[in-house]
Amino acid sequence: LERQRRQPQQEPEAAQAVAMAATPPPTLKKMRALAAALIVLLFWSGALASPAPLLENLSLDHYSAPGPYHMAAPLMVDAPKTSAFRQSYGYAPVAVYFPTDNPGGTALADPKKTPDDTFHVIGFAHGAGSAAEFYTGLYAHLVSHGFIVVSVRNMAPVPATLGDDMCHGLAWILAEGDGTGPYGKESMFYGRIGQAGGGTMGHS
């Protein structure tokens, strides 16, 4: 009893910090399950509105396991801030992660393994103060299921700026997909980007 009285009592904030430090990091299985849930949430509205739902007959178990594609090295893009969303001067630095058919491949994969024969796009904004590369494992899992991830590379951790740059990056990849982008119909993305549905996600 005397020893208990002598032991210093932790402040609530300190106790919370110790508990957080003792919490084990999420396992790869948990991260994949989270990615699966995010995919369903991101595209659920599109599935409800579409006559041919993107997620028809596909379950969380399907998306929690790795998909059939591999991830190429990111394509670094300076997307012009000329899209319809909050037009401005300059460029939005983004990285585009896309699927390939083989490990180490550099060419865009054949989208025939996806539900609607196109690759749908997910915009991603990293947490303020975090490096975008911290989420590479999440990008790889999403890409393995036939999604293209447009990741913001803005070094200024301002939420509004990150959101703006994400929108400009998404506008760039969608334009490449419909042939109105800088590379026109010569773009490897032409005709392979799903224009009917996409998603945005991030971390803070």
Side-chain angles (χ1 to χ4, degrees):
L1 181 61
E2 189 64 26
R3 276 200 305 269
Q4 290 179 353
R5 290 200 188 102
R6 290 177 183 173
Q7 288 178 348
Q9 297 298 313
Q10 289 181 319
E11 295 295 328
E13 294 82 0
Q16 184 180 14
V18 171
M20 291 177 65
T23 302
T27 63
L28 181 59
K29 184 176 181 180
K30 289 181 180 178
M31 288 296 291
R32 287 174 174 169
L34 174 61
L38 287 170
I39 291 172
V40 172
L41 288 173
L42 286 169
F43 289 87
W44 185 249
S45 60
L48 291 175
S50 171
L54 293 176
L55 303 180
E56 186 176 12
N57 300 323
L58 297 178
S59 65
L60 281 174
D61 289 338
H62 170 83
Y63 281 113
S64 64
Y69 294 106
H70 302 274
M71 186 170 74
L75 179 65
M76 310 307 289
V77 174
D78 287 325
K81 294 185 177 183
T82 55
S83 67
F85 181 84
R86 214 188 296 267
Q87 292 186 7
S88 181
Y89 298 100
Y91 298 88
V94 297
V96 179
Y97 295 86
F98 59 91
T100 63
D101 286 313
N102 302 299
T106 58
L108 185 65
D110 186 334
K112 296 299 182 183
K113 300 173 186 176
T114 63
D116 63 351
D117 296 338
T118 62
F119 297 122
H120 288 265
V121 182
I122 297 175
F124 185 88
H126 59 80
S130 298
E133 292 79 9
F134 179 77
Y135 307 93
T136 301
L138 178 59
Y139 306 153
H141 188 75
L142 294 171
V143 168
S144 78
H145 282 281
F147 295 99
I148 292 177
V149 178
V150 177
S151 174
V152 177
R153 282 297 189 274
N154 194 321
M155 298 304 294
V158 180
T161 303
L162 293 174
D164 288 357
D165 285 2
M166 182 199 298
C167 290
H168 293 305
L170 291 172
W172 181 88
I173 190 71
L174 291 174
E176 289 295 300
D178 68 12
T180 60
Y183 297 98
K185 295 183 179 181
E186 298 299 318
S187 172
M188 68 175 176
F189 299 111
Y190 174 64
R192 296 186 173 188
I193 303 297
Q195 303 284 332
T200 60
M201 61 189 294
H203 171 249
S204 180

